[in-house]
Short mmCIF file of all heavy atoms in Angstrom, two decimals:
data_model
loop_
_atom_site.label_atom_id
_atom_site.label_comp_id
_atom_site.label_asym_id
_atom_site.label_seq_id
_atom_site.Cartn_x
_atom_site.Cartn_y
_atom_site.Cartn_z
N ILE B 163 102.95 100.82 95.57
CA ILE B 163 101.57 100.34 95.67
C ILE B 163 100.59 101.50 95.59
O ILE B 163 99.53 101.39 94.96
CB ILE B 163 101.40 99.56 96.99
CG1 ILE B 163 102.26 98.30 96.97
CG2 ILE B 163 99.94 99.21 97.22
CD1 ILE B 163 102.28 97.53 98.26
N ARG B 164 100.94 102.63 96.19
CA ARG B 164 100.09 103.82 96.10
C ARG B 164 99.83 104.19 94.64
O ARG B 164 98.68 104.45 94.25
CB ARG B 164 100.80 104.98 96.79
CG ARG B 164 100.11 106.33 96.65
CD ARG B 164 101.07 107.47 96.95
NE ARG B 164 102.14 107.57 95.95
CZ ARG B 164 103.14 108.44 96.01
NH1 ARG B 164 103.23 109.28 97.05
NH2 ARG B 164 104.06 108.49 95.07
N ASP B 165 100.88 104.18 93.81
CA ASP B 165 100.73 104.55 92.41
C ASP B 165 99.93 103.50 91.63
O ASP B 165 99.17 103.84 90.72
CB ASP B 165 102.10 104.75 91.77
CG ASP B 165 102.86 105.91 92.40
OD1 ASP B 165 102.22 106.79 92.99
OD2 ASP B 165 104.10 105.93 92.31
N ILE B 166 100.11 102.22 91.97
CA ILE B 166 99.34 101.17 91.34
C ILE B 166 97.85 101.35 91.63
O ILE B 166 97.00 101.25 90.73
CB ILE B 166 99.82 99.78 91.83
CG1 ILE B 166 101.19 99.46 91.23
CG2 ILE B 166 98.81 98.69 91.48
CD1 ILE B 166 101.84 98.21 91.80
N ILE B 167 97.53 101.63 92.88
CA ILE B 167 96.13 101.85 93.27
C ILE B 167 95.56 103.05 92.53
O ILE B 167 94.40 103.04 92.07
CB ILE B 167 96.02 102.04 94.79
CG1 ILE B 167 96.35 100.73 95.51
CG2 ILE B 167 94.63 102.52 95.19
CD1 ILE B 167 96.43 100.85 97.02
N ASP B 168 96.36 104.09 92.38
CA ASP B 168 95.90 105.29 91.69
C ASP B 168 95.54 104.99 90.23
O ASP B 168 94.48 105.42 89.75
CB ASP B 168 96.96 106.38 91.77
CG ASP B 168 96.49 107.67 91.15
OD1 ASP B 168 95.37 108.10 91.45
OD2 ASP B 168 97.25 108.26 90.35
N PHE B 169 96.41 104.25 89.54
CA PHE B 169 96.11 103.91 88.15
C PHE B 169 94.90 103.00 88.05
O PHE B 169 94.07 103.15 87.13
CB PHE B 169 97.33 103.24 87.50
CG PHE B 169 98.33 104.23 86.96
CD1 PHE B 169 99.37 104.68 87.76
CD2 PHE B 169 98.24 104.70 85.66
CE1 PHE B 169 100.30 105.59 87.27
CE2 PHE B 169 99.16 105.61 85.16
CZ PHE B 169 100.20 106.07 85.96
N ALA B 170 94.75 102.07 88.99
CA ALA B 170 93.62 101.15 88.96
C ALA B 170 92.30 101.85 89.26
O ALA B 170 91.23 101.36 88.88
CB ALA B 170 93.84 100.01 89.95
N THR B 171 92.37 102.99 89.94
CA THR B 171 91.15 103.78 90.21
C THR B 171 91.01 104.92 89.20
O THR B 171 90.23 105.85 89.43
CB THR B 171 91.17 104.35 91.64
OG1 THR B 171 92.34 105.18 91.79
CG2 THR B 171 91.21 103.24 92.68
N HIS B 172 91.79 104.86 88.12
CA HIS B 172 91.73 105.85 87.04
C HIS B 172 92.03 107.26 87.53
O HIS B 172 91.44 108.24 87.06
CB HIS B 172 90.36 105.81 86.34
CG HIS B 172 89.89 104.43 86.00
ND1 HIS B 172 90.63 103.57 85.21
CD2 HIS B 172 88.78 103.75 86.36
CE1 HIS B 172 89.99 102.43 85.09
NE2 HIS B 172 88.87 102.49 85.78
N GLY B 173 92.94 107.36 88.50
CA GLY B 173 93.37 108.66 88.98
C GLY B 173 92.51 109.25 90.08
O GLY B 173 92.84 110.32 90.62
N GLU B 174 91.42 108.59 90.43
CA GLU B 174 90.54 109.14 91.47
C GLU B 174 91.23 109.19 92.83
O GLU B 174 91.00 110.10 93.63
CB GLU B 174 89.25 108.32 91.57
CG GLU B 174 88.26 108.53 90.44
CD GLU B 174 86.90 107.92 90.75
OE1 GLU B 174 86.41 108.11 91.89
OE2 GLU B 174 86.35 107.24 89.87
N PHE B 175 92.08 108.19 93.09
CA PHE B 175 92.73 108.10 94.40
C PHE B 175 93.65 109.31 94.62
O PHE B 175 93.59 109.96 95.67
CB PHE B 175 93.52 106.80 94.48
CG PHE B 175 94.10 106.50 95.83
CD1 PHE B 175 93.29 106.43 96.95
CD2 PHE B 175 95.46 106.28 95.98
CE1 PHE B 175 93.82 106.15 98.21
CE2 PHE B 175 96.00 105.99 97.23
CZ PHE B 175 95.18 105.92 98.34
N SER B 176 94.49 109.62 93.64
CA SER B 176 95.39 110.77 93.80
C SER B 176 94.63 112.09 93.78
O SER B 176 94.99 113.03 94.50
CB SER B 176 96.47 110.76 92.71
OG SER B 176 95.88 110.90 91.43
N ALA B 177 93.59 112.18 92.95
CA ALA B 177 92.81 113.42 92.89
C ALA B 177 92.17 113.71 94.24
O ALA B 177 92.10 114.87 94.67
CB ALA B 177 91.74 113.29 91.80
N TRP B 178 91.72 112.66 94.91
CA TRP B 178 91.12 112.82 96.24
C TRP B 178 92.15 113.18 97.29
O TRP B 178 91.97 114.11 98.08
CB TRP B 178 90.40 111.52 96.62
CG TRP B 178 90.05 111.40 98.06
CD1 TRP B 178 89.03 112.01 98.72
CD2 TRP B 178 90.75 110.62 99.05
NE1 TRP B 178 89.03 111.66 100.05
CE2 TRP B 178 90.07 110.81 100.28
CE3 TRP B 178 91.85 109.77 99.01
CZ2 TRP B 178 90.48 110.17 101.46
CZ3 TRP B 178 92.27 109.15 100.17
CH2 TRP B 178 91.59 109.35 101.37
N ALA B 179 93.27 112.44 97.31
CA ALA B 179 94.27 112.62 98.36
C ALA B 179 95.09 113.89 98.18
O ALA B 179 95.55 114.48 99.17
CB ALA B 179 95.20 111.41 98.42
N SER B 180 95.28 114.35 96.95
CA SER B 180 96.16 115.49 96.69
C SER B 180 95.59 116.81 97.17
O SER B 180 96.34 117.77 97.39
CB SER B 180 96.48 115.58 95.19
OG SER B 180 97.21 114.45 94.77
N ILE B 181 94.27 116.88 97.33
CA ILE B 181 93.68 118.14 97.77
C ILE B 181 93.51 118.20 99.29
O ILE B 181 93.05 119.20 99.83
CB ILE B 181 92.31 118.37 97.10
CG1 ILE B 181 91.32 117.26 97.47
CG2 ILE B 181 92.45 118.48 95.59
CD1 ILE B 181 89.91 117.50 96.96
N VAL B 182 93.91 117.13 99.97
CA VAL B 182 93.82 117.09 101.43
C VAL B 182 95.21 117.39 102.01
O VAL B 182 96.17 116.69 101.71
CB VAL B 182 93.35 115.71 101.92
CG1 VAL B 182 93.26 115.69 103.45
CG2 VAL B 182 92.01 115.35 101.31
N PRO B 183 95.34 118.44 102.82
CA PRO B 183 96.66 118.76 103.38
C PRO B 183 97.12 117.69 104.37
O PRO B 183 96.32 117.08 105.08
CB PRO B 183 96.44 120.10 104.09
CG PRO B 183 94.97 120.15 104.37
CD PRO B 183 94.31 119.41 103.25
N SER B 184 98.42 117.46 104.39
CA SER B 184 99.00 116.50 105.33
C SER B 184 99.15 117.14 106.70
O SER B 184 99.02 118.36 106.87
CB SER B 184 100.36 116.03 104.82
OG SER B 184 101.06 115.32 105.80
N GLN B 185 99.47 116.31 107.69
CA GLN B 185 99.73 116.82 109.03
C GLN B 185 101.01 117.65 109.08
O GLN B 185 101.12 118.58 109.88
CB GLN B 185 99.86 115.66 110.02
CG GLN B 185 98.55 115.02 110.41
CD GLN B 185 98.77 113.94 111.47
OE1 GLN B 185 99.51 112.99 111.25
NE2 GLN B 185 98.13 114.09 112.60
N GLY B 186 101.97 117.30 108.24
CA GLY B 186 103.24 118.01 108.33
C GLY B 186 104.15 117.70 107.16
O GLY B 186 103.71 117.35 106.07
N SER B 187 105.45 117.79 107.40
CA SER B 187 106.48 117.57 106.38
C SER B 187 106.99 116.14 106.46
O SER B 187 106.64 115.37 107.36
CB SER B 187 107.63 118.55 106.60
OG SER B 187 108.25 118.29 107.86
N TYR B 188 107.87 115.79 105.51
CA TYR B 188 108.51 114.47 105.58
C TYR B 188 109.25 114.31 106.91
O TYR B 188 109.20 113.25 107.54
CB TYR B 188 109.52 114.32 104.43
CG TYR B 188 108.90 114.08 103.07
CD1 TYR B 188 109.10 114.99 102.03
CD2 TYR B 188 108.14 112.95 102.83
CE1 TYR B 188 108.55 114.76 100.77
CE2 TYR B 188 107.58 112.72 101.58
CZ TYR B 188 107.79 113.63 100.55
OH TYR B 188 107.23 113.41 99.31
N ARG B 189 109.94 115.36 107.33
CA ARG B 189 110.71 115.29 108.57
C ARG B 189 109.79 115.04 109.77
O ARG B 189 110.08 114.20 110.63
CB ARG B 189 111.49 116.59 108.78
CG ARG B 189 112.50 116.50 109.93
CD ARG B 189 113.10 117.88 110.26
NE ARG B 189 113.71 118.53 109.12
CZ ARG B 189 114.98 118.35 108.74
NH1 ARG B 189 115.76 117.52 109.41
NH2 ARG B 189 115.47 119.02 107.71
N GLN B 190 108.70 115.77 109.84
CA GLN B 190 107.80 115.63 110.98
C GLN B 190 107.12 114.26 111.02
O GLN B 190 106.92 113.69 112.09
CB GLN B 190 106.75 116.74 110.93
CG GLN B 190 107.32 118.13 111.18
CD GLN B 190 106.33 119.23 110.89
OE1 GLN B 190 105.59 119.19 109.90
NE2 GLN B 190 106.29 120.24 111.76
N LEU B 191 106.79 113.74 109.84
CA LEU B 191 106.13 112.44 109.80
C LEU B 191 107.07 111.30 110.18
O LEU B 191 106.69 110.38 110.91
CB LEU B 191 105.53 112.20 108.41
CG LEU B 191 104.35 113.09 108.03
CD1 LEU B 191 103.96 112.88 106.57
CD2 LEU B 191 103.15 112.83 108.93
N THR B 192 108.30 111.37 109.67
CA THR B 192 109.25 110.30 110.01
C THR B 192 109.70 110.39 111.46
O THR B 192 110.09 109.38 112.05
CB THR B 192 110.49 110.35 109.09
OG1 THR B 192 111.08 111.65 109.16
CG2 THR B 192 110.11 110.06 107.65
N MET B 193 109.64 111.57 112.04
CA MET B 193 110.02 111.72 113.44
C MET B 193 109.20 110.79 114.33
O MET B 193 109.70 110.24 115.30
CB MET B 193 109.81 113.17 113.88
CG MET B 193 110.24 113.44 115.33
SD MET B 193 109.72 115.06 115.96
CE MET B 193 110.48 116.17 114.79
N GLN B 194 107.92 110.60 113.98
CA GLN B 194 107.05 109.78 114.81
C GLN B 194 107.57 108.34 114.93
O GLN B 194 107.33 107.67 115.92
CB GLN B 194 105.63 109.77 114.24
CG GLN B 194 105.00 111.15 114.09
CD GLN B 194 104.90 111.88 115.41
OE1 GLN B 194 105.73 112.73 115.72
NE2 GLN B 194 103.91 111.54 116.20
N ASN B 195 108.25 107.86 113.88
CA ASN B 195 108.76 106.48 113.89
C ASN B 195 110.17 106.38 114.44
O ASN B 195 110.67 105.27 114.64
CB ASN B 195 108.73 105.90 112.48
CG ASN B 195 107.32 105.71 111.95
OD1 ASN B 195 106.66 106.68 111.57
ND2 ASN B 195 106.85 104.48 111.93
N LEU B 196 110.83 107.52 114.66
CA LEU B 196 112.23 107.50 115.09
C LEU B 196 112.47 108.08 116.48
O LEU B 196 113.50 107.80 117.09
CB LEU B 196 113.09 108.29 114.08
CG LEU B 196 113.27 107.69 112.70
CD1 LEU B 196 113.95 108.70 111.78
CD2 LEU B 196 114.10 106.41 112.76
N ILE B 197 111.53 108.87 116.98
CA ILE B 197 111.78 109.64 118.19
C ILE B 197 111.96 108.75 119.41
O ILE B 197 112.51 109.20 120.43
CB ILE B 197 110.64 110.67 118.42
CG1 ILE B 197 111.08 111.75 119.41
CG2 ILE B 197 109.37 109.96 118.87
CD1 ILE B 197 112.27 112.56 118.97
N HIS B 198 111.55 107.49 119.35
CA HIS B 198 111.78 106.59 120.49
C HIS B 198 113.27 106.32 120.68
O HIS B 198 113.68 105.82 121.72
CB HIS B 198 111.03 105.27 120.28
CG HIS B 198 111.54 104.45 119.14
ND1 HIS B 198 111.19 104.70 117.83
CD2 HIS B 198 112.38 103.39 119.10
CE1 HIS B 198 111.80 103.83 117.04
NE2 HIS B 198 112.53 103.03 117.78
N SER B 199 114.09 106.64 119.65
CA SER B 199 115.54 106.56 119.75
C SER B 199 116.09 107.97 119.54
O SER B 199 116.51 108.33 118.43
CB SER B 199 116.10 105.60 118.70
OG SER B 199 117.50 105.51 118.77
N PRO B 200 116.09 108.81 120.57
CA PRO B 200 116.39 110.24 120.40
C PRO B 200 117.75 110.53 119.79
O PRO B 200 117.87 111.46 118.98
CB PRO B 200 116.32 110.78 121.84
CG PRO B 200 115.49 109.79 122.59
CD PRO B 200 115.78 108.46 121.97
N ALA B 201 118.77 109.74 120.15
CA ALA B 201 120.12 110.01 119.62
C ALA B 201 120.19 109.70 118.13
O ALA B 201 120.72 110.49 117.34
CB ALA B 201 121.15 109.19 120.38
N LEU B 202 119.65 108.55 117.73
CA LEU B 202 119.65 108.17 116.32
C LEU B 202 118.82 109.15 115.50
O LEU B 202 119.23 109.57 114.41
CB LEU B 202 119.12 106.75 116.14
CG LEU B 202 119.02 106.26 114.69
CD1 LEU B 202 120.39 106.23 114.04
CD2 LEU B 202 118.36 104.88 114.63
#
């Protein structure tokens, strides 16, 4: 859906989002959804 929105906005969506740094890495972001189960 992200890519569909980008094409429908003629690339403006990715151009805007790509220059903004993320909070962290894939690992750090997914940790937020998994850390409630520490062993898993």
Side-chain angles (χ1 to χ4, degrees):
I163 295 174
R164 174 199 67 183
D165 296 338
I166 288 172
I167 292 173
D168 184 47
F169 275 91
T171 59
H172 313 303
E174 285 192 45
F175 187 57
S176 63
W178 165 76
S180 295
I181 61 174
V182 180
S184 168
Q185 284 184 302
S187 64
Y188 285 119
R189 190 189 304 273
Q190 292 170 318
L191 291 173
T192 55
M193 183 191 302
Q194 303 300 99
N195 293 75
L196 291 171
I197 197 61
H198 66 280
S199 179
L202 177 62

